[in-house]
Amino acid sequence: MPELTGPAPGPPAAEPGATWRVHLPRTTAAVPMARALIRTALGEIDPDGPGAADGHGGPDRSGRPDRDTAELLTAELVANAVEHTSGEGAIELVVELFAAPGGCQIEVHDPDPARPGQLVCPDPDAEVDPWQEHGRGLLLIRALSSDCGHRPTAHGKAVWFTLPRLPAQRRPPRA
């Protein structure tokens, strides 16, 4: 079971400006757990807060990042931490929900201080093996996030990415 740490016990805070941390086991079970936590947290951002109505009776979800992208990239980071790191410690998922203009930063902390693979775009002239089963996760993170990187921590490293808020949908007014 994941262990939630932070200022308040219970489910992750889903308000912009909130930060929460979840300790996950360093097993493959951490990947679906992380995906579910991200989907839940980003799905609940300020659904009833000020300015929530989208003008059509539904909540305005434009302050949050794209859940599908956040879920995919988080799964890649957690899977990499499980598969490619050494050490005995747990994995820590850290999610920061930005206040205006919205968006989020997601970090995965692991106990291995070794740098992750390159978080840079590959050479566009390099030939890609279409049957290759590994090596595209960091490319996805680089391509789909607004920023990404890694940094050393006191107990290993953190690999992170940021996502901007989704733009408001432009819909014609109802007649």
Side-chain angles (χ1 to χ4, degrees), residues 83-156:
E83 185 174 347
H84 300 293
T85 63
S86 61
E88 294 297 319
I91 295 168
E92 185 177 37
L93 175 64
V94 180
V95 179
E96 180 180 0
L97 304 174
F98 299 143
C104 69
Q105 179 167 307
I106 297 173
E107 297 182 350
V108 173
H109 296 226
D110 67 63
D112 189 344
R115 292 174 51 138
Q118 294 210 8
L119 285 171
V120 296
C121 294
D123 179 358
D125 296 327
E127 192 171 317
V128 176
D129 178 2
W131 298 103
Q132 181 179 353
E133 292 184 11
H134 297 286
R136 292 193 177 95
L138 294 178
L139 175 62
L140 281 172
I141 291 164
R142 182 67 183 147
L144 298 176
S145 67
S146 57
D147 197 11
C148 60
H150 61 89
R151 62 181 171 78
T153 65
H155 303 288

Side-chain angles (χ1 to χ4, degrees), residues 64-78:
R64 72 174 180 209
D66 179 53
R67 284 188 308 182
D68 293 333
T69 302
E71 189 180 342
L72 171 67
L73 300 185
T74 300
E76 289 294 339
L77 287 185
V78 171

